[in-house]
């Protein structure tokens, strides 16, 4: 019998939140390849949900369904329903630009625009017409950087290029850029995989704070990270959602043999 | 496992003897590898030296023939603007002023300066042969600009004849018999005298840059051709850049990947390799025979060069756009930018240095292009500056081509001189492209 790894698990909140995102029978095909099979899951608001699983199992694919980023891949085909606040986001009448303003995304590798720190954050509000004056925009930029925990570090050099920041700062800048358009859901695809442990700790701390106001979905290859930041966890394997539940339960009492094998380090 | 690499030896931990053998074998192969590396370096250096040597020969031959074209022999004359010759009626009628015999005035002034007998017709003819055949133009322009000068004596610099120029530049051997060198002993004496008095000097040749075509080498210049080339470059810039960039952006970002776009892509790449004369034929058929545009007009040349430059710009732009990392596109789309916004706010600005570099290189190629322009009849003898892209003009490389067909020494040096100017322009453009690329080169 394998021993459970000694994982410190974040206690789930006492309050149970309403479902924010609900996926029903989602299938994704890349040409002939059936990359995601019949995934159904409910993701609660104001909490962090982690997707774990061996690489290539479809975590990113599923995440990118939630803001329809897969639309940019010509061979990708998505079936099924994803409902955010009672609205099917694959409904033809829904505008994808509007959706992406509601569902922000932070990518694996920090990807600030090669522009100033200020411009990076101001870009989203500007294209969506969220500000009516320079003062408005300054306000939004300041507040977003503040929320992303970056304000103190960059307030004196807002006009310096965003690409000149350290990796961890760049990733927090990307988070600030995402929250500047006031989203409801924030998707994060392995946001710490390119960062050192100290920068990782800062981002995790930040995620924990952002949980108060947003529905956060994070893909991670680190089970420790999932255990530290998330309240619910979903385990993916070979394109299927194997098991989903409270993070504590998944890590201490998995129901499926594959989940158990994965978290005990048998594969992945 | 080094042992595995030695054929015939057994795998596994080597005994002392086997170990020595292995080491020896490795040593030998290392020596061989280093020798191969050295040989390769030598080949490389030899190839580069070979290329440089050719370049040096090329530049040496052009510069040594061409540098003399940047100066031109001129006489300093005090010309009496004789009222009885210029304006006998005294009415300052512009037509009369225009057709007066200024050559005579110049001859008289030179004869007086040289101490020749102005009454002796043979002397006067010989004096006249020292002056450029276009000498009247310079004096006439002075008079027309300021008719109040009539009756006064004014100092002017006038061009010496091509033969005098050759002599001064050492291109004509003064020890040849008079009949062969086509300068009489009397003329030779006069030339020496004028030179000694500082009356005959080699001055900077502004005419080379401002004059148009001429049958006399001393007054032939590339000015008109430069303006023609400028018109063509503007046409290319105005047409090829927007068309090329739009085509590239569409192909790279919007077009579906299917048989038709593949076909288009292959054809664009092929077009870039099509010999330029083919574009000339196309231009002749379409723009002149079908659309009825005037022959020898710079607009037609510009259109043909546009066709020729388009593939270059499309290919360069596509490469530049393709080099913008997808993460930037994703970032823009991720905050809710539309596809068009992601492209126009981020992708194209980031690709701009590459686009500009490609454009400048395309323009440089077009500037030096000759063959298609010959096809559309741009080989005209154009004296007047073109006033619009529709008026007759030539292009710089075509002017060089036309001069290259003349045997006269003055045209030979002008051929090389104009080539130098063309090369200088091309080097400047390429340098500009390199500087742009260096300045905006990004590390992601
Ligand atoms: N753009 C794509 N085109 C084709 N196949 C893809 C593409 N993106 C992902 N895939 C395939 O889909 C499967 C799931 O990939 P992904 O969602 O990136 O996995 P994960 O993020 O869990 O590591 C993989 O087998 C991968 O090869
Ligand atoms: Mg992934």
């Amino acid at each position: 019998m394998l021993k459970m790894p000694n994982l410190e698990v974040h206690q789930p909140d006492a309050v149970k939140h309403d479902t924010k995102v609900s996926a029903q029978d989602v299938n994704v095909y890349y040409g002939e390849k059936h990359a995601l099979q019949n995934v159904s899951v409910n993701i609660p608001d104001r909490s962090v949900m982690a997707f774990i699983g061996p690489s290539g199992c479809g975590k990113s694919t599923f995440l990118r369904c939630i803001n329809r980023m897969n639309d940019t891949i010509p061979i990708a085909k998505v079936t099924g329903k994803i409902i955010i606040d009672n609205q099917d986001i694959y409904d033809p009448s829904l505008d994808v630009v509007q959706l992406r303003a509601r569902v922000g995304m932070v990518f694996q590798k920090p990807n600030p625009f090669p522009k100033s720190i200020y411009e990076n954050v101001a870009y989203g509000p500007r294209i969506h017409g969220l500000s009516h004056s320079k003062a408005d925009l300054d306000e939004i930029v300041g507040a977003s950087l503040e929320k992303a925990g970056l304000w103190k570090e960059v307030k004196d050099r807002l006009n310096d290029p965003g690409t000149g920041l350290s990796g961890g700062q760049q990733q927090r800048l990307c988070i600030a850029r995402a929250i500047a358009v006031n989203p409801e859901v924030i998707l994060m695809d392995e946001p710490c995989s390119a960062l050192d442990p100290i920068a990782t700790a800062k981002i995790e701390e930040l995620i924990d704070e952002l949980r108060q106001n947003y529905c956060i979905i994070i893909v991670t290859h680190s089970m420790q990270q999932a255990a530290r930041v998330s309240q619910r966890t979903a385990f993916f394997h070979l394109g299927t959602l194997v098991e989903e539940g409270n993070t504590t339960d998944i890590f201490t009492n998995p129901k499926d043999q594959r989940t158990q094998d994965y978290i005990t380090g048998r594969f992945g | 496992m080094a042992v595995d690499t030695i054929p015939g030896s057994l795998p596994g931990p080597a005994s002392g003897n086997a170990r020595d053998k292995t080491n020896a074998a490795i040593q030998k192969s290392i020596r061989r590898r280093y020798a191969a590396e050295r040989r390769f370096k030598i080949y490389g250096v030899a190839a580069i030296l070979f290329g440089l040597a050719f370049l040096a020969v090329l530049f040496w031959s052009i510069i040594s023939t061409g540098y003399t074209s940047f100066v031109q022999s001129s006489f300093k004359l005090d010309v009496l603007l004789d009222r009885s010759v210029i304006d006998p009626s005294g009415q300052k009628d512009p037509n009369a002023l225009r057709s007066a015999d200024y050559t005579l005035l110049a001859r008289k002034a030179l004869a007086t300066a040289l101490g020749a007998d102005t009454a002796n017709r043979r002397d006067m003819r010989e004096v006249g042969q020292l002056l450029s055949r276009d000498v009247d133009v310079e004096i006439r322009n002075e008079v027309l600009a300021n008719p109040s000068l009539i009756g006064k004596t004014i100092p002017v610099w006038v061009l010496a004849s091509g033969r005098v120029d050759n002599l001064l530049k050492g291109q004509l051997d003064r020890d040849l018999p008079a009949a062969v060198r086509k300068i009489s002993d009397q003329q030779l004496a006069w030339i020496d005298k004028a030179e000694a008095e500082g009356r005959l000097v080699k001055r900077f040749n502004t005419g080379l840059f401002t004059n148009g075509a001429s049958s006399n080498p001393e007054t032939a210049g590339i000015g008109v051709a430069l303006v023609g080339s400028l018109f063509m470059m503007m046409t290319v810039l105005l047409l090829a850049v927007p068309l090329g960039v739009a085509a590239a952006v569409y192909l790279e970002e919007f077009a579906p990947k299917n048989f038709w776009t593949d076909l288009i892509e292959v054809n664009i790449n092929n077009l870039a390799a099509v010999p330029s004369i083919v574009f000339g034929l196309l231009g002749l058929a379409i723009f002149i025979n079908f659309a009825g545009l005037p022959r020898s007009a710079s607009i037609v040349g510009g259109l043909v060069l546009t066709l020729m430059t388009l593939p270059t710009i499309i290919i360069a732009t596509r490469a530049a756009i393709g080099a913008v990392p997808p993460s930037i596109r994703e970032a823009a789309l991720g905050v809710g930018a539309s596809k068009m916004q992601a492209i126009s706010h981020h992708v194209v600005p980031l690709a701009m240095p590459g686009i500009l570099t490609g454009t400048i290189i395309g323009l440089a190629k077009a500037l030096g292009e000759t063959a298609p322009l010959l096809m559309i009849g741009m080989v005209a003898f154009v004296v007047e500056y073109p006033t619009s892209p529709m008026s007759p003009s030539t292009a710089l490389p075509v002017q060089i081509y036309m001069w290259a067909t003349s045997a006269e020494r003055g045209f030979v040096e002008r051929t090389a001189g104009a080539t130098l100017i063309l090369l200088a322009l091309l080097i400047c453009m390429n340098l500009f492209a390199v500087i742009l690329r260096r300045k905006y080169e990004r590390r992601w």
Side-chain angles (χ1 to χ4, degrees):
Chain A
M1 190 63 211
L2 284 157
K3 258 188 74 203
M4 285 294 160
N6 188 13
L7 293 171
E8 181 200 327
V9 174
H10 207 282
Q11 284 307 305
D13 287 8
V15 221
K16 188 134 174 46
H17 291 289
D18 299 338
T19 296
K20 182 74 183 176
V21 181
S22 170
Q24 294 161 15
D25 275 329
V26 174
N27 284 275
V28 180
Y29 305 83
Y30 291 116
E32 293 290 292
K33 187 182 163 66
H34 197 169
L36 208 60
Q37 295 148 33
N38 294 320
V39 172
S40 299
V41 62
N42 288 331
I43 300 166
D45 201 1
R46 289 166 208 282
S47 69
V48 180
M49 174 132 201
F51 292 168
I52 59 170
S55 88
C57 66
K59 307 178 298 284
S60 300
T61 299
F62 183 53
L63 195 73
R64 291 163 61 90
C65 288
I66 302 174
N67 67 346
R68 287 180 57 180
M69 212 56 165
N70 283 332
D71 290 15
T72 59
I73 303 170
I75 56 166
K77 190 170 145 271
V78 181
T79 66
K81 273 188 180 171
I82 294 178
I83 292 167
I84 299 180
D85 286 346
N86 301 321
Q87 192 179 24
D88 183 3
I89 62 166
Y90 281 90
D91 190 88
S93 67
L94 181 126
D95 191 277
V96 66
V97 165
Q98 177 137 34
L99 171 71
R100 292 196 191 130
R102 284 170 61 199
V103 183
M105 187 157 193
V106 177
F107 297 83
Q108 186 164 355
K109 213 173 133 249
N111 58 352
F113 299 127
K115 296 184 177 191
S116 72
I117 294 170
Y118 183 94
E119 283 302 317
N120 262 284
V121 184
Y123 181 68
R126 199 175 271 152
I127 56 171
H128 293 299
L130 299 185
S131 65
H132 303 290
S133 65
K134 176 86 172 75
D136 256 10
L137 196 58
D138 289 352
E139 171 81 34
I140 295 174
V141 171
S144 308
L145 286 169
E146 181 78 63
K147 278 192 217 164
L150 197 59
W151 177 249
K152 283 208 190 72
E153 290 156 64
V154 301
K155 64 173 189 289
D156 299 322
R157 46 175 174 146
L158 289 176
N159 292 321
D160 289 5
T163 40
L165 297 171
S166 74
Q169 288 173 322
Q170 287 190 16
Q171 197 59 299
R172 278 181 282 150
L173 179 62
C174 292
I175 294 175
R177 180 175 65 191
I179 51 192
V181 293
N182 206 8
E184 298 155 33
V185 180
I186 301 176
L187 312 175
M188 299 187 177
D189 192 348
E190 306 197 17
C192 302
S193 63
L195 305 182
D196 61 72
I198 293 174
T200 301
K202 276 202 180 137
I203 303 265
E204 286 178 3
E205 212 172 286
L206 174 61
I207 292 172
D208 204 46
E209 270 166 37
L210 293 173
R211 171 164 68 92
Q212 312 299 328
N213 299 307
Y214 303 94
C215 165
I216 295 174
I217 307 169
I218 176 171
V219 169
T220 172
H221 60 256
S222 147
M223 282 173 284
Q224 284 79 0
Q225 185 169 62
R228 280 193 301 265
V229 301
S230 73
Q231 285 73 54
R232 288 182 79 78
T233 298
F235 171 64
F236 287 77
H237 184 54
L238 297 175
T240 57
L241 175 64
V242 173
E243 187 171 351
E244 178 260 333
N246 286 332
T247 301
T248 339
D249 299 339
I250 295 279
F251 281 110
T252 55
N253 191 16
K255 293 189 195 72
D256 195 287
Q257 184 61 38
R258 287 168 292 179
T259 319
Q260 177 160 359
D261 287 350
Y262 182 69
I263 61 180
T264 50
R266 278 277 210 71
F267 61 80
Chain B
M1 293 261 259
V3 183
D4 284 349
T5 64
I6 312 280
S9 68
L10 290 166
S15 68
N17 194 10
R19 184 72 253 169
D20 288 348
K21 258 165 119 178
T22 309
N23 283 345
I26 290 176
Q27 290 260 304
K28 221 172 123 192
S29 94
I30 284 177
R31 269 200 304 278
R32 262 204 313 277
R33 275 181 273 174
Y34 283 155
E37 211 169 279
R38 264 197 307 279
R39 265 201 309 281
F40 182 76
K41 265 191 208 155
I42 292 170
Y43 295 149
V45 170
I48 289 172
L49 287 180
F50 196 62
L52 282 180
F54 268 107
L55 200 66
V57 169
L58 173 75
F59 271 97
W60 170 248
S61 76
I62 298 177
I63 292 174
S64 61
T65 343
Y67 79 99
T68 47
S69 66
F70 292 98
V71 288
Q72 193 64 35
S73 312
S74 307
F75 283 107
K76 187 182 179 213
L77 298 181
D78 297 309
V79 179
L80 168 65
L81 299 175
D82 191 343
R83 195 178 298 277
S84 63
V85 175
I86 301 175
D87 189 23
S89 65
Q91 292 176 341
K92 298 202 171 155
D93 171 22
N95 275 335
L97 293 190
R98 202 161 285 141
S99 56
D101 189 357
Y102 296 102
T103 312
L104 179 67
L105 297 180
R107 275 185 198 182
K108 273 190 183 161
L110 184 57
T112 319
L114 296 174
D117 179 4
T118 50
N120 182 332
R121 291 188 55 182
R122 218 193 57 128
D123 270 13
M124 279 306 275
R125 204 180 60 237
E126 292 214 336
V127 167
Q129 283 166 353
L130 299 181
L131 290 167
S132 161
R133 239 171 289 174
D134 295 322
V135 70
D136 51 335
V137 182
E138 293 167 74
I139 304 172
R140 176 176 23 167
N141 288 344
E142 296 264 342
V143 172
L144 287 178
N146 190 358
S148 67
L149 290 175
I150 296 172
K152 300 196 179 115
T153 301
I154 57 163
V156 267
W157 283 98
V158 298
L159 289 173
S161 71
R163 216 138 264 290
V164 174
D165 190 52
N166 292 344
L167 191 78
L168 254 66
K169 285 175 181 168
Q171 295 156 348
L172 195 65
D173 187 358
R174 56 191 302 143
D175 298 329
L176 287 171
V180 179
R181 73 175 177 231
K182 290 191 183 144
I183 290 185
S184 71
D185 293 331
Q186 169 71 81
Q187 284 173 323
L188 205 57
W190 282 334
I191 291 171
D192 291 341
K193 179 166 183 251
E195 221 185 338
E197 287 173 358
R199 204 170 267 293
L200 176 56
V201 204
K202 284 184 284 187
R203 305 176 71 217
F204 181 71
N205 190 0
T206 48
L208 178 65
F209 296 91
T210 56
N211 291 345
S214 167
S215 46
N216 304 320
E218 65 272 14
T219 50
I222 57 165
V224 170
L226 268 181
V227 173
S229 279
L230 189 75
F231 275 135
M232 285 184 227
M233 292 302 105
M234 304 251 276
T235 315
V236 174
L237 205 61
L238 286 178
L239 291 177
V241 175
L243 282 178
V245 171
V249 168
Y250 176 77
L251 284 174
E252 196 68 13
E253 299 281 345
F254 291 99
K257 287 271 163 284
N258 58 27
F259 172 75
W260 294 110
T261 45
D262 282 351
L263 191 73
I264 290 173
E265 180 161 357
V266 167
N267 276 303
I268 288 173
N269 290 334
N270 282 342
L271 274 182
V274 162
S276 56
I277 195 147
V278 177
F279 287 101
L281 280 172
L282 185 74
L284 181 66
I286 294 180
F287 301 126
I288 296 180
N289 292 345
F290 178 72
L293 288 170
R295 255 166 200 278
S296 189
S298 53
I299 182 93
V300 181
L303 287 171
V304 168
L305 294 180
T306 298
L307 289 180
M308 215 195 72
T309 318
L310 257 179
T312 312
I313 293 184
I314 293 178
I315 291 171
T317 306
R318 289 189 68 175
I321 288 177
V324 175
S327 66
I328 297 291
R329 266 166 267 240
E330 286 188 329
L333 295 176
V335 292
S338 66
K339 192 163 186 182
M340 201 60 231
Q341 284 174 324
I343 291 168
S344 63
H345 294 167
H346 299 284
V347 177
V348 170
L350 290 175
M352 216 48 183
I355 297 176
L356 286 180
T357 312
T359 303
I360 295 169
I361 287 172
L363 277 182
K365 210 173 116 193
L367 179 63
E369 201 51 73
T370 325
L373 301 182
L374 299 182
M375 287 313 296
I376 55 164
M378 298 224 36
V379 272
F381 185 89
V382 186
V383 184
E384 296 290 321
Y385 275 90
T387 51
S388 79
M390 300 296 274
S391 39
S393 66
T394 51
L396 188 49
V398 178
Q399 186 65 71
I400 293 172
Y401 167 79
M402 289 193 285
W403 281 345
T405 53
S406 316
E408 267 174 89
R409 195 64 184 80
F411 282 123
V412 173
E413 70 175 28
R414 268 169 175 68
T415 307
T419 306
L420 277 177
I421 296 170
L422 180 61
L423 280 177
L425 284 175
L426 295 180
I427 289 173
C428 283
M429 287 171 86
N430 284 323
L431 211 62
F432 185 57
V434 170
I435 290 172
L436 261 180
R437 195 163 40 203
R438 282 275 162 81
K439 178 148 186 232
Y440 292 104
E441 200 168 50
R442 272 173 211 282
R443 271 168 281 278
W444 305 99

